Amino acid sequence: MQETSNRRIVIGDVHGHYNGLMGLLEAIAPGKEDEIYFIGDLIDRGPQSSKVVEFVKQNATGCILGNHEQMLLDVVGGGAMAAQVQQSWLYSGGYATITSYPDSTIPEDHLEWMKKLPIYLDLGDVLLVHAGVDPRMPLEAQTSDQLCWIRDEFHSMEEPYFSDKLIVIGHTITFTLPGVVPGKLAQGQGWIDIDTGAYHPKSGWLTGFDITNNQVYQFNVHQQRSRILTLKEAVTSIEPTKVKRR
């Protein structure tokens, strides 16, 4: 298949792996007409969250809010729940984010940028959302509680949420879904998951999905190598009935 220019490319959960992101972008080789989107969870766990945020802030066509950005904002926002959220965030990789900044201080411009991130982006034929949607609710009624955190209720949908729109998500590492091996994308009813676990020792793959040409670019942060696959080669379909419902 001849590749179409003016590509729309969605990059999965980077989780602080700036060098991996640079390796992935080298494989993608974006042109000035290409659009590059990020699915959220730029931060935590990896060693260079501050550099990832600055790069995406300056260069991305668009980025959506992930649950890790939401946790950070909940912590810095204070309030009665801040201490409890702080422990959860630090346990989930937040300490690596703090220490990636000089003097362990997250600058105000990064915080303000994160506060303005949308909880979804509608590209017409594609919806970008971090975790998924609650199939029981209309999209406009959903908040970050659903769109940044949902798992099983979404993955186990037996019918697509949209009849005319593909949902692209991250949040859930694909190999944690039934029948999916590390590095593979997961496909369900009307959705594709591109979080291939860049930070995880069992995987290391960071994924960029060219939704214009159905092509997948990947860079492994452990092995320092890239690969390019067709979507058919890269994806594993999962059975909704095999996803554990909570």
Side-chain angles (χ1 to χ4, degrees):
M1 181 185 71
Q2 186 173 0
E3 190 173 290
T4 304
S5 58
N6 302 340
R7 297 175 295 174
R8 295 176 300 166
I9 297 168
V10 188
I11 294 177
D13 306 40
V14 180
H15 277 303
H17 281 280
Y18 177 80
N19 292 339
L21 175 58
M22 293 302 102
L24 178 64
L25 289 171
E26 184 177 351
I28 293 171
K32 61 181 181 180
E33 301 300 324
D34 292 334
E35 299 175 358
I36 306 292
Y37 297 92
F38 288 79
I39 209 76
D41 279 8
L42 305 177
I43 63 171
D44 296 350
R45 296 195 167 111
Q48 296 175 303
S49 290
S50 61
K51 294 183 73 172
V52 174
V53 172
E54 183 63 23
F55 178 85
V56 174
K57 178 174 175 287
Q58 296 295 333
N59 296 283
T61 306
C63 178
I64 55 177
L65 184 74
N67 64 299
H68 283 258
E69 287 83 26
Q70 184 65 69
M71 283 192 288
L72 184 157
L73 294 174
D74 288 343
V75 169
V76 299
M81 294 294 291
Q84 181 178 336
V85 174
Q86 183 179 41
Q87 290 305 310
S88 177
W89 177 53
L90 293 174
Y91 178 78
S92 300
Y95 183 75
T97 294
I98 294 171
T99 56
S100 74
Y101 285 94
D103 301 321
S104 298
T105 302
I106 303 173
E108 194 63 31
D109 65 311
H110 280 200
L111 294 173
E112 288 301 315
W113 179 76
M114 289 185 210
K115 289 176 184 177
K116 295 175 182 176
L117 292 176
I119 54 177
Y120 68 86
L121 284 171
D122 190 339
L123 305 185
D125 57 336
V126 174
L127 185 86
L128 306 182
V129 61
H130 181 64
V133 298
D134 189 328
R136 303 162 296 187
M137 299 171 63
L139 182 62
E140 60 271 16
Q142 300 188 44
T143 68
S144 61
D145 288 343
Q146 291 83 34
L147 303 183
C148 292
W149 290 94
I150 200 164
R151 293 193 197 273
D152 291 353
E153 300 93 336
F154 172 75
H155 298 138
S156 60
M157 292 190 307
E158 297 186 14
E159 298 290 337
Y161 187 79
F162 297 109
S163 61
D164 60 350
K165 202 185 302 284
L166 175 69
I167 301 176
V168 179
I169 66 165
H171 185 56
T172 299
I173 297 177
T174 54
F175 71 72
T176 65
L177 292 166
V180 184
V181 300
K184 288 277 193 174
L185 282 62
Q187 183 170 28
Q189 294 299 308
W191 58 267
I192 289 179
D193 182 356
I194 65 169
D195 179 8
T196 42
Y199 78 89
H200 202 287
K202 290 184 179 179
S203 176
W205 289 107
L206 176 62
T207 291
F209 174 30
D210 175 357
I211 57 180
T212 304
N213 298 292
N214 282 333
Q215 190 143 296
V216 174
Y217 297 84
Q218 295 187 310
F219 185 85
N220 193 291
V221 304
H222 304 320
Q223 302 168 8
Q224 295 294 298
R225 67 181 180 95
S226 60
R227 64 186 183 188
I228 303 173
L229 306 167
T230 65
L231 181 60
K232 185 177 180 180
E233 292 171 326
V235 75
T236 297
S237 295
I238 66 168
E239 293 293 332
T241 56
K242 293 184 179 179
V243 178
K244 180 182 178 182
R245 288 179 172 84
R246 294 176 181 172

Short mmCIF file of all heavy atoms in Angstrom, two decimals, residues 3-10 24-37 61 123 208-217 228:
data_model
loop_
_atom_site.label_atom_id
_atom_site.label_comp_id
_atom_site.label_asym_id
_atom_site.label_seq_id
_atom_site.Cartn_x
_atom_site.Cartn_y
_atom_site.Cartn_z
N GLU A 3 1.82 4.85 0.94
CA GLU A 3 1.52 5.66 2.10
C GLU A 3 1.01 7.03 1.70
O GLU A 3 1.50 7.65 0.77
CB GLU A 3 2.77 5.80 2.97
CG GLU A 3 2.52 6.41 4.32
CD GLU A 3 3.76 6.36 5.19
OE1 GLU A 3 4.13 5.26 5.61
OE2 GLU A 3 4.34 7.43 5.44
N THR A 4 -0.02 7.50 2.39
CA THR A 4 -0.60 8.81 2.16
C THR A 4 0.09 9.84 3.02
O THR A 4 0.37 9.59 4.20
CB THR A 4 -2.11 8.79 2.48
OG1 THR A 4 -2.73 7.76 1.71
CG2 THR A 4 -2.76 10.13 2.17
N SER A 5 0.38 11.00 2.46
CA SER A 5 0.96 12.09 3.26
C SER A 5 -0.12 12.72 4.11
O SER A 5 -1.28 12.29 4.11
CB SER A 5 1.61 13.11 2.33
OG SER A 5 0.66 13.63 1.42
N ASN A 6 0.23 13.79 4.83
CA ASN A 6 -0.70 14.41 5.77
C ASN A 6 -1.23 13.37 6.76
O ASN A 6 -2.43 13.24 6.98
CB ASN A 6 -1.86 15.07 5.05
CG ASN A 6 -1.40 16.13 4.06
OD1 ASN A 6 -0.29 16.63 4.15
ND2 ASN A 6 -2.26 16.47 3.13
N ARG A 7 -0.30 12.65 7.36
CA ARG A 7 -0.65 11.57 8.28
C ARG A 7 -1.18 12.12 9.61
O ARG A 7 -0.76 13.17 10.08
CB ARG A 7 0.57 10.70 8.57
CG ARG A 7 1.13 9.98 7.36
CD ARG A 7 2.43 9.24 7.71
NE ARG A 7 3.49 10.16 8.08
CZ ARG A 7 4.68 9.79 8.54
NH1 ARG A 7 4.95 8.49 8.72
NH2 ARG A 7 5.60 10.68 8.85
N ARG A 8 -2.10 11.38 10.22
CA ARG A 8 -2.52 11.62 11.59
C ARG A 8 -1.96 10.46 12.43
O ARG A 8 -2.35 9.32 12.22
CB ARG A 8 -4.04 11.68 11.70
CG ARG A 8 -4.66 12.87 10.97
CD ARG A 8 -6.18 12.81 11.04
NE ARG A 8 -6.68 11.58 10.42
CZ ARG A 8 -7.94 11.14 10.56
NH1 ARG A 8 -8.80 11.78 11.31
NH2 ARG A 8 -8.31 10.03 9.97
N ILE A 9 -1.07 10.79 13.33
CA ILE A 9 -0.36 9.77 14.11
C ILE A 9 -0.63 9.99 15.59
O ILE A 9 -0.50 11.11 16.10
CB ILE A 9 1.15 9.80 13.82
CG1 ILE A 9 1.40 9.46 12.34
CG2 ILE A 9 1.90 8.84 14.74
CD1 ILE A 9 2.79 9.72 11.87
N VAL A 10 -1.03 8.92 16.27
CA VAL A 10 -1.33 8.98 17.71
C VAL A 10 -0.26 8.19 18.45
O VAL A 10 0.01 7.02 18.12
CB VAL A 10 -2.72 8.39 18.02
CG1 VAL A 10 -3.07 8.65 19.48
CG2 VAL A 10 -3.78 8.98 17.10
N LEU A 24 11.26 6.83 18.65
CA LEU A 24 10.03 6.57 17.91
C LEU A 24 9.82 7.62 16.82
O LEU A 24 9.48 7.29 15.67
CB LEU A 24 8.85 6.56 18.87
CG LEU A 24 7.47 6.35 18.23
CD1 LEU A 24 7.37 4.97 17.58
CD2 LEU A 24 6.37 6.53 19.26
N LEU A 25 10.02 8.88 17.15
CA LEU A 25 9.83 9.95 16.16
C LEU A 25 10.84 9.86 15.03
O LEU A 25 10.54 10.22 13.89
CB LEU A 25 9.90 11.31 16.85
CG LEU A 25 8.69 11.63 17.74
CD1 LEU A 25 8.96 12.89 18.56
CD2 LEU A 25 7.43 11.78 16.91
N GLU A 26 12.03 9.37 15.32
CA GLU A 26 13.00 9.16 14.25
C GLU A 26 12.49 8.12 13.27
O GLU A 26 12.65 8.26 12.05
CB GLU A 26 14.34 8.71 14.84
CG GLU A 26 15.44 8.55 13.80
CD GLU A 26 16.78 8.19 14.40
OE1 GLU A 26 16.91 8.22 15.65
OE2 GLU A 26 17.71 7.86 13.63
N ALA A 27 11.84 7.07 13.78
CA ALA A 27 11.27 6.04 12.90
C ALA A 27 10.08 6.59 12.12
O ALA A 27 9.90 6.28 10.93
CB ALA A 27 10.84 4.82 13.73
N ILE A 28 9.26 7.41 12.77
CA ILE A 28 8.09 7.99 12.11
C ILE A 28 8.49 9.01 11.06
O ILE A 28 7.87 9.11 9.99
CB ILE A 28 7.16 8.63 13.16
CG1 ILE A 28 6.55 7.55 14.07
CG2 ILE A 28 6.05 9.44 12.49
CD1 ILE A 28 5.80 8.11 15.27
N ALA A 29 9.54 9.79 11.36
CA ALA A 29 10.03 10.85 10.47
C ALA A 29 8.88 11.77 10.02
O ALA A 29 8.57 11.87 8.83
CB ALA A 29 10.74 10.26 9.26
N PRO A 30 8.23 12.44 10.97
CA PRO A 30 7.07 13.26 10.61
C PRO A 30 7.46 14.43 9.71
O PRO A 30 8.50 15.07 9.89
CB PRO A 30 6.56 13.75 11.97
CG PRO A 30 7.72 13.64 12.90
CD PRO A 30 8.52 12.49 12.41
N GLY A 31 6.60 14.70 8.74
CA GLY A 31 6.75 15.86 7.88
C GLY A 31 5.95 17.02 8.44
O GLY A 31 5.17 16.87 9.37
N LYS A 32 6.13 18.19 7.85
CA LYS A 32 5.49 19.39 8.39
C LYS A 32 3.97 19.36 8.24
O LYS A 32 3.26 20.08 8.94
CB LYS A 32 6.06 20.64 7.73
CG LYS A 32 5.86 20.73 6.23
CD LYS A 32 6.49 22.00 5.69
CE LYS A 32 6.29 22.13 4.18
NZ LYS A 32 6.90 23.37 3.65
N GLU A 33 3.45 18.51 7.34
CA GLU A 33 2.01 18.42 7.16
C GLU A 33 1.37 17.34 8.04
O GLU A 33 0.15 17.24 8.12
CB GLU A 33 1.67 18.12 5.70
CG GLU A 33 2.18 19.16 4.71
CD GLU A 33 1.61 20.55 4.98
OE1 GLU A 33 0.43 20.63 5.38
OE2 GLU A 33 2.35 21.53 4.81
N ASP A 34 2.21 16.53 8.70
CA ASP A 34 1.68 15.47 9.55
C ASP A 34 1.16 16.04 10.87
O ASP A 34 1.70 17.04 11.39
CB ASP A 34 2.75 14.42 9.84
CG ASP A 34 3.13 13.63 8.60
OD1 ASP A 34 2.30 13.52 7.69
OD2 ASP A 34 4.27 13.13 8.55
N GLU A 35 0.15 15.39 11.43
CA GLU A 35 -0.40 15.76 12.73
C GLU A 35 0.00 14.69 13.74
O GLU A 35 -0.22 13.50 13.51
CB GLU A 35 -1.92 15.88 12.66
CG GLU A 35 -2.40 16.96 11.68
CD GLU A 35 -3.91 16.98 11.55
OE1 GLU A 35 -4.59 16.14 12.19
OE2 GLU A 35 -4.42 17.83 10.80
N ILE A 36 0.57 15.13 14.87
CA ILE A 36 1.02 14.20 15.91
C ILE A 36 0.22 14.47 17.18
O ILE A 36 0.23 15.57 17.73
CB ILE A 36 2.53 14.36 16.20
CG1 ILE A 36 3.35 14.24 14.92
CG2 ILE A 36 2.97 13.34 17.24
CD1 ILE A 36 3.36 12.87 14.30
N TYR A 37 -0.48 13.43 17.64
CA TYR A 37 -1.30 13.52 18.84
C TYR A 37 -0.74 12.58 19.91
O TYR A 37 -0.15 11.54 19.61
CB TYR A 37 -2.75 13.12 18.53
CG TYR A 37 -3.43 14.01 17.53
CD1 TYR A 37 -3.40 13.72 16.17
CD2 TYR A 37 -4.12 15.15 17.93
CE1 TYR A 37 -4.02 14.54 15.24
CE2 TYR A 37 -4.76 15.97 17.01
CZ TYR A 37 -4.70 15.66 15.66
OH TYR A 37 -5.33 16.47 14.75
N THR A 61 0.48 18.36 17.88
CA THR A 61 -0.76 18.90 17.33
C THR A 61 -1.83 18.93 18.41
O THR A 61 -2.63 19.87 18.50
CB THR A 61 -1.25 18.05 16.15
OG1 THR A 61 -0.20 17.93 15.18
CG2 THR A 61 -2.48 18.65 15.50
N LEU A 123 -11.72 13.73 16.22
CA LEU A 123 -11.12 14.02 14.92
C LEU A 123 -12.06 13.71 13.77
O LEU A 123 -11.64 13.64 12.62
CB LEU A 123 -9.82 13.22 14.76
CG LEU A 123 -8.76 13.39 15.85
CD1 LEU A 123 -7.50 12.64 15.49
CD2 LEU A 123 -8.46 14.85 16.14
N GLY A 208 3.44 4.36 18.04
CA GLY A 208 2.80 5.42 17.29
C GLY A 208 1.92 4.79 16.22
O GLY A 208 2.39 3.97 15.43
N PHE A 209 0.64 5.15 16.21
CA PHE A 209 -0.33 4.57 15.29
C PHE A 209 -0.70 5.60 14.23
O PHE A 209 -1.29 6.64 14.53
CB PHE A 209 -1.56 4.12 16.08
CG PHE A 209 -2.72 3.63 15.26
CD1 PHE A 209 -2.55 3.01 14.03
CD2 PHE A 209 -4.02 3.77 15.74
CE1 PHE A 209 -3.63 2.55 13.28
CE2 PHE A 209 -5.11 3.31 15.01
CZ PHE A 209 -4.90 2.72 13.76
N ASP A 210 -0.32 5.33 12.99
CA ASP A 210 -0.69 6.16 11.84
C ASP A 210 -2.10 5.75 11.42
O ASP A 210 -2.29 4.75 10.73
CB ASP A 210 0.32 5.95 10.72
CG ASP A 210 -0.03 6.68 9.43
OD1 ASP A 210 -1.09 7.33 9.37
OD2 ASP A 210 0.77 6.59 8.47
N ILE A 211 -3.09 6.54 11.85
CA ILE A 211 -4.48 6.18 11.57
C ILE A 211 -4.88 6.52 10.14
O ILE A 211 -5.92 6.07 9.67
CB ILE A 211 -5.44 6.86 12.58
CG1 ILE A 211 -5.30 8.38 12.57
CG2 ILE A 211 -5.21 6.30 13.97
CD1 ILE A 211 -6.22 9.09 13.54
N THR A 212 -4.06 7.29 9.45
CA THR A 212 -4.33 7.59 8.04
C THR A 212 -4.01 6.41 7.15
O THR A 212 -4.76 6.09 6.21
CB THR A 212 -3.51 8.81 7.59
OG1 THR A 212 -3.79 9.92 8.46
CG2 THR A 212 -3.84 9.21 6.15
N ASN A 213 -2.92 5.72 7.45
CA ASN A 213 -2.45 4.63 6.61
C ASN A 213 -2.53 3.26 7.27
O ASN A 213 -2.05 2.28 6.71
CB ASN A 213 -0.99 4.90 6.21
CG ASN A 213 -0.85 6.16 5.39
OD1 ASN A 213 -1.32 6.24 4.26
ND2 ASN A 213 -0.22 7.19 5.97
N ASN A 214 -3.11 3.18 8.48
CA ASN A 214 -3.16 1.91 9.22
C ASN A 214 -1.78 1.27 9.33
O ASN A 214 -1.58 0.10 9.04
CB ASN A 214 -4.15 0.94 8.57
CG ASN A 214 -5.59 1.27 8.89
OD1 ASN A 214 -5.87 1.87 9.93
ND2 ASN A 214 -6.50 0.92 8.01
N GLN A 215 -0.84 2.09 9.79
CA GLN A 215 0.53 1.63 9.97
C GLN A 215 0.95 1.89 11.41
O GLN A 215 0.52 2.87 12.03
CB GLN A 215 1.46 2.38 9.01
CG GLN A 215 2.87 1.82 8.94
CD GLN A 215 3.43 1.90 7.53
OE1 GLN A 215 2.92 1.25 6.62
NE2 GLN A 215 4.46 2.68 7.35
N VAL A 216 1.80 1.02 11.94
CA VAL A 216 2.21 1.10 13.33
C VAL A 216 3.73 1.23 13.41
O VAL A 216 4.47 0.43 12.84
CB VAL A 216 1.74 -0.15 14.11
CG1 VAL A 216 2.30 -0.15 15.53
CG2 VAL A 216 0.21 -0.21 14.13
N TYR A 217 4.17 2.25 14.14
CA TYR A 217 5.59 2.48 14.40
C TYR A 217 5.85 2.18 15.87
O TYR A 217 5.07 2.59 16.74
CB TYR A 217 5.96 3.93 14.12
CG TYR A 217 5.79 4.36 12.69
CD1 TYR A 217 4.53 4.78 12.22
CD2 TYR A 217 6.85 4.35 11.79
CE1 TYR A 217 4.35 5.17 10.90
CE2 TYR A 217 6.68 4.75 10.47
CZ TYR A 217 5.44 5.15 10.04
OH TYR A 217 5.26 5.55 8.72
N ILE A 228 8.52 -1.19 12.09
CA ILE A 228 7.34 -0.64 11.43
C ILE A 228 6.50 -1.82 10.95
O ILE A 228 7.00 -2.73 10.28
CB ILE A 228 7.73 0.26 10.24
CG1 ILE A 228 8.64 1.40 10.72
CG2 ILE A 228 6.48 0.82 9.57
CD1 ILE A 228 9.20 2.24 9.58
#
